[in-house]
Amino acid sequence: MEPSLAGAAEAGDRFRASEHQHVRYNPLRDDWVLVSAHRVKRPWQGQLEKPPPEDVPRWDPKNPLCPGATRANGEVNPKYEGTFVFPNDFPALQPDAPEPDDNDHPLFRAAPARGVCKVMCFHPWSDLTLPLMSLPEIRAVVDAWAELATELGASYPWVQIFENKGAMMGCSNPHPHCQVWASSFLPNEASLEDRSQRQHLSQHGVPMLLEYAEQEAGRKERLVVENADWLVVVPYWATWPYETLLLPRRHVCRLQDLSDSERDSLASIMQRLLIKYDNLFEVSFPYSMGWHGAPTGSYLAEDCRHWQLHAHYYPPLLRSATVRKFMVGYEMLAQAQRDLTPEQVGAAQGHWGTRGAVCQGCPCKQPPAVPCAVPCRQPSA
């Protein structure tokens, strides 16, 4: 034992997660994250982000996602009034790509990659984000997700639904939308989660995330919001500062397996979570989110009981609306590292709804006497 460690042990120092660095295991990815909560006290002299613009026009004929606008390929959008799905004009995957040539060395391997990419607009208004939409409007988004998962999943083994919100997360258009990529292969994250969940069920006899949801519901120290069918937690192994995991309470393998009532309660808990995000730093909160469920295509005929449906939310903000967490240096070259414990974040999230609230015209129905955290935009009828 090194002298400094021996001295600490003799002094009887007790481990405190909020003060002492440690590593936590992520069973979904079978890797570790370094937690160094004391680092958040350091002064910040790094990059400061610009607050997101608040003057987004409700309709812009030059915006290719707006109703009636012309896209880059010359197609004219219909004057849609709800959700709108169309093929991505610049797809990362195409259904008819040729196969790579065979290579003569195992260090230079390639494999076919085919698929389709779609874009889904949530709403015709460019200035209306998901937390400001009405519950029926959010439910329509959930239904459209499930429909696309069913349609594309009939042919493709993986259908990735994801939303990048905010310029900070690489979103090039403020109009509320997501993307859906269906691929002929299981991507890396899907393969990791498939293997880890399969192993957990084999060893413990219960789906990993079903057991995890039950544990977190009882412990409550990382719980953000819950209802009868769903709960949102800051994962014990979270990497991003305000990362959350959205989990169903019952065993559900795929998004399209949800009942009508579960889809309603999903719309509700998504709205509550995203309002809390917006209230945290009084800004339209940036994030990348996505759904993970059991593979589809040929996997529909296989036993996928080890899978549990879930959604990841990865927001980059660290300590304010202008200070973000960068995944560089140690994170890129060694392993993931975070500057707040998930328990600290979970405790802070209990105050998210009171730090700022939205006004009477907004769907969260907060008291009108409390100042707005986000601009009031009355949802469409």
Side-chain angles (χ1 to χ4, degrees):
M1 181 177 288
E2 297 180 8
S4 59
L5 296 179
E10 291 171 1
D13 282 0
R14 183 175 177 272
F15 171 78
R16 297 187 300 277
S18 60
E19 295 293 333
H20 301 129
Q21 70 273 5
H22 58 288
V23 292
R24 296 192 182 192
Y25 180 62
N26 182 342
L28 260 182
R29 302 191 75 256
D30 189 25
D31 63 10
W32 296 80
V33 57
L34 172 62
V35 182
S36 312
H38 54 283
R39 277 173 48 84
V40 80
K41 300 174 184 177
R42 72 192 191 279
W44 184 264
Q45 294 182 330
Q47 178 172 321
L48 297 178
E49 308 293 334
K50 293 181 179 180
E54 296 184 358
D55 57 348
V56 176
R58 180 155 291 178
W59 182 82
D60 182 355
K62 297 180 181 179
N63 187 328
L65 298 186
C66 282
T70 302
R71 303 202 307 275
N73 63 357
E75 295 282 340
V76 178
N77 296 334
K79 294 184 178 179
Y80 62 92
E81 297 182 351
T83 60
F84 170 52
V85 179
F86 62 92
N88 194 314
D89 297 330
F90 303 95
L93 295 164
Q94 297 176 323
D96 53 358
E99 294 193 12
D101 295 332
D102 291 334
N103 206 290
D104 59 357
H105 196 283
L107 294 179
F108 301 92
R109 295 164 60 191
R114 299 187 179 95
V116 295
C117 298
K118 293 181 180 289
V119 176
M120 187 180 101
C121 295
F122 296 151
H123 196 279
W125 296 359
S126 292
D127 60 346
L128 199 69
T129 57
L130 268 175
L132 297 181
M133 290 168 57
S134 68
L135 286 177
E137 290 168 339
I138 301 174
R139 167 63 196 265
V141 171
V142 172
D143 287 339
W145 282 342
E147 183 177 339
L148 282 169
T150 301
E151 173 194 335
L152 298 174
S155 304
Y156 292 98
W158 190 254
V159 180
Q160 184 59 66
I161 299 169
F162 65 97
E163 179 193 3
N164 295 324
K165 181 190 174 192
M168 196 182 300
M169 295 308 293
C171 183
S172 60
N173 193 311
H175 194 96
H177 71 286
C178 72
Q179 298 191 54
V180 184
W181 294 10
S183 61
S184 61
F185 56 92
L186 283 189
N188 293 341
E189 294 298 313
S191 295
L192 278 172
E193 291 195 2
D194 183 70
R195 185 168 63 248
S196 62
Q197 290 181 97
R198 187 184 299 275
Q199 183 178 7
H200 186 93
L201 180 64
S202 174
Q203 293 179 348
H204 302 280
V206 60
M208 176 197 296
L209 291 182
L210 182 62
E211 181 179 11
Y212 179 67
E214 293 172 350
Q215 286 288 319
E216 290 287 27
R219 296 170 185 256
K220 296 191 181 301
E221 56 186 329
R222 287 169 294 272
L223 186 64
V224 179
V225 64
E226 62 180 329
N227 61 23
D229 299 311
W230 301 86
L231 71 159
V232 178
V233 300
V234 182
Y236 176 78
W237 53 81
T239 298
W240 292 93
Y242 291 91
E243 175 182 335
T244 53
L245 188 63
L246 172 57
L247 296 162
R249 292 185 184 272
R250 77 171 178 96
H251 187 204
V252 184
C253 288
R254 300 178 178 93
L255 192 63
Q256 52 268 46
D257 297 335
L258 296 174
S259 67
D260 280 345
S261 62
E262 287 170 331
R263 295 185 186 194
D264 284 338
S265 57
L266 173 57
S268 175
I269 204 165
M270 284 173 54
Q271 185 189 66
R272 292 169 63 192
L273 170 64
L274 296 177
I275 286 172
K276 282 179 174 287
Y277 270 137
D278 283 359
N279 282 344
L280 180 60
F281 295 135
E282 300 187 6
V283 66
S284 185
F285 217 78
Y287 58 76
S288 283
M289 71 80 64
W291 285 99
H292 283 173
T296 48
S298 61
Y299 291 88
L300 291 171
E302 296 186 8
D303 184 357
C304 290
R305 288 177 299 164
H306 55 288
W307 269 92
Q308 174 74 331
L309 176 70
H310 58 282
H312 297 278
Y313 283 83
Y314 299 135
L317 294 181
L318 174 59
R319 57 173 80 179
S320 73
T322 59
V323 177
R324 68 171 297 178
K325 166 71 174 179
F326 288 91
M327 291 294 184
V328 295
Y330 190 86
E331 289 88 353
M332 295 178 69
L333 298 168
Q335 69 181 39
Q337 182 269 333
R338 61 177 287 125
D339 297 338
L340 288 166
T341 68
E343 293 75 31
Q344 288 173 313
V345 174
Q349 294 194 34
H351 303 289
W352 285 13
T354 58
R355 184 170 300 189
V358 291
C359 65
Q360 193 173 23
C362 294
C364 76
K365 307 301 182 187
Q366 292 284 354
V370 183
C372 259
V374 288
C376 174
R377 304 182 181 99
Q378 184 67 34
S380 60

